[in-house]
Amino acid sequence: MRVLVTGGAGFIGSAVVTELTGRGHEVVVLDTASGGGRGAADVRDPDAVRAALDGVDAVCHQAAMVGLGKDFADAPAYVSHNDLGTAVLLAAMAERGVRDLVLAGSMVVYGEGRYACPAHGVVRPGPRAVADMEAGRFEPRCPSCGGELTPGLVAEDAPLDPRNVYATTKLAQEHLAAAWARATGGRCIALRYHNVYGPGMPRDTPYAGVASFFRSALARGEAPRVFEDGAQRRDFVHVRDVARANARALEALRERGPGEVTAYNVGSGEVRTVGELAEVLASACGGPPPVVTGEFRLGDVRHVTADSARLRAELGWRPEVGFAQGLKEFADETA
C-alpha cells in the first residue's frame, strides 16, 4: 500500500513512517520540516497536497500543532494548522479519489475524564474554579451534591467536552473527517491518543509534553517541577505502540464500508499519575527528586485515562512497551 503520512518528519509521524516501512508499505511524507531528506511542504498548501497524493492508496494524517500552548493568542495558529490544514487535505483527497484516512485524534476531546459520585452515579463535573485551585483544592466535585468523586476510564462513547483551544481544534478535525466520509464514501479511523512519549519527543518548547519538560529539567541538573499536587491521573503510551496502532488501523480500513467513521482510544491501559511519571523519570536519569509546586494551568483537566478495550477487541492491537521500560529508554536518550 502507498501511504501519505502528513507530519511524517515529526515525533509521532516519523515513528509511523518507520513502522509502515517495516511492514512493507511505500510511504510518502508531507511535512513542513525537511530533515532526514524529506521535502518540506505545508498541509495547508493545496498544490503540495495534491502532488503528494499522486498514486496514494491511503492517508495517515499526523500533521498538527500540538500541546496546550501559551495563551489564547495561539488560537489562530492552532485553527490554521489543525483545522484549515485538515480541510485542505480532505478536499484534495475528495478530488483525487483517495478514500481511506487514519486521523491522529486526541483524548483531549473528552475534557475531564469519567467520574462517579456515590449518590448520583456517573456525573460530568464542570471546569474547576480558579479559587479552588488557588487554595489547593484540585479534585473536581459532584455538580449535584458537591461530594467527592471517583475517577474511572473513559470509553469512546463518552460525551465530548473540549476545554481549551487545542482540544477544540482536535474535535473539529474529527467532525471534518466525518463530513468528508459522508460526502465521498470515504472511510476513517480516528485514533484518540493519550499522553504519548518516547524517543524523538520535542523538547524545550511551550508546546512540548510533560514528559519532555521533566526530562529537559533533569538534563540541566534541575528537579522536575510538578504542577498541582502531582496526583493527576494520565495514561502514558509509548510512541512505538502508537505507531503500531496507526499501521493496524490503516490495514483495517480496507474491511470497512463506505462512509464509516470509527474512533478508538489509544492508551497503555496503565493508570499513572503525573507525580509518578516525574519520580520514575528522575530515578532513571539519576537526577534530583521532583518538586511539587501547587501551580496550575487553566485549561488543564484533572484526570483523564483511557479505556482502550475497543481497539484491542476490534483491531487486535496490544501495547508492548511498559511504563518503566519506556521511561528508561526515554531517559537514556539524553545521555
Side-chain angles (χ1 to χ4, degrees):
M1 181 163 44
R2 183 176 169 90
V3 182
L4 171 63
V5 180
T6 70
F11 167 46
I12 297 175
S14 60
V16 171
V17 169
T18 298
E19 180 68 24
L20 292 178
T21 302
R23 290 176 179 238
H25 298 296
E26 181 184 357
V27 177
V28 178
V29 170
L30 181 71
D31 200 295
T32 54
S34 57
R38 303 179 174 102
D42 195 315
V43 74
R44 295 169 293 178
D45 180 343
D47 292 335
V49 173
R50 283 192 291 266
L53 286 169
D54 282 345
V56 160
D57 302 302
V59 173
C60 188
H61 184 31
Q62 305 293 320
M65 186 174 177
V66 300
L68 187 59
K70 293 177 287 187
D71 53 43
F72 199 81
D74 286 331
Y78 274 107
V79 172
S80 177
H81 283 275
N82 298 355
D83 297 338
L84 175 60
T86 299
V88 169
L89 172 66
L90 294 172
M93 290 175 66
E95 177 185 323
R96 290 299 175 95
V98 181
R99 296 292 181 260
D100 285 351
L101 171 68
V102 172
L103 173 68
S106 174
M107 56 84 181
V108 295
V109 299
Y110 297 117
E112 285 286 353
R114 185 182 187 276
Y115 293 87
C117 170
H120 297 96
V122 175
V123 298
R124 297 286 296 174
R128 294 178 290 171
V130 172
D132 284 340
M133 297 176 75
E134 288 177 339
R137 297 187 294 268
F138 300 117
E139 293 291 341
R141 311 292 288 191
C142 176
S144 298
C145 67
E148 294 184 2
L149 299 175
T150 301
L153 300 181
V154 182
E156 290 87 350
D157 59 357
L160 304 179
D161 184 19
R163 296 193 175 183
N164 56 57
V165 171
Y166 171 63
T168 302
T169 64
K170 295 306 289 183
L171 181 55
Q173 284 184 314
E174 290 195 22
H175 288 320
L176 285 166
W180 162 83
R182 285 192 296 269
T184 66
R187 303 175 290 194
C188 176
I189 289 177
L191 298 176
R192 292 174 179 164
Y193 304 155
H194 281 248
N195 293 74
V196 186
Y197 74 98
M201 192 174 189
R203 62 182 76 189
D204 303 324
T205 126
Y207 309 98
V210 65
S212 181
F213 287 140
F214 291 164
R215 186 181 62 176
S216 293
L218 289 161
R220 297 190 300 268
E222 301 171 2
R225 295 177 60 81
V226 179
F227 280 14
E228 301 187 18
D229 58 0
Q232 308 95 302
R233 291 159 55 105
R234 296 291 187 269
D235 184 319
F236 298 98
V237 59
H238 196 276
V239 68
R240 287 199 301 274
D241 285 331
V242 171
R244 289 191 307 100
N246 274 272
R248 183 67 195 97
L250 280 166
E251 293 159 358
L253 279 172
R254 291 173 290 179
E255 306 160 8
R256 304 300 169 97
E260 190 171 344
V261 179
T262 311
Y264 293 99
N265 289 331
V266 184
S268 70
E270 298 183 60
V271 176
R272 304 284 181 170
T273 68
V274 173
E276 187 177 5
L277 171 73
E279 290 170 1
V280 174
L281 193 54
S283 177
C285 291
V291 173
V292 177
T293 69
E295 298 173 277
F296 60 89
R297 297 190 306 177
L298 292 177
D300 275 348
V301 297
R302 178 62 174 174
H303 305 299
V304 57
T305 50
D307 181 349
S308 300
R310 178 187 288 181
L311 182 61
R312 296 170 186 240
E314 296 184 9
L315 300 191
W317 172 88
R318 296 287 188 280
E320 296 180 353
V321 183
F323 185 69
Q325 172 196 346
L327 284 183
K328 177 63 167 62
E329 176 185 327
F330 185 58
D332 289 346
E333 196 182 23
T334 62

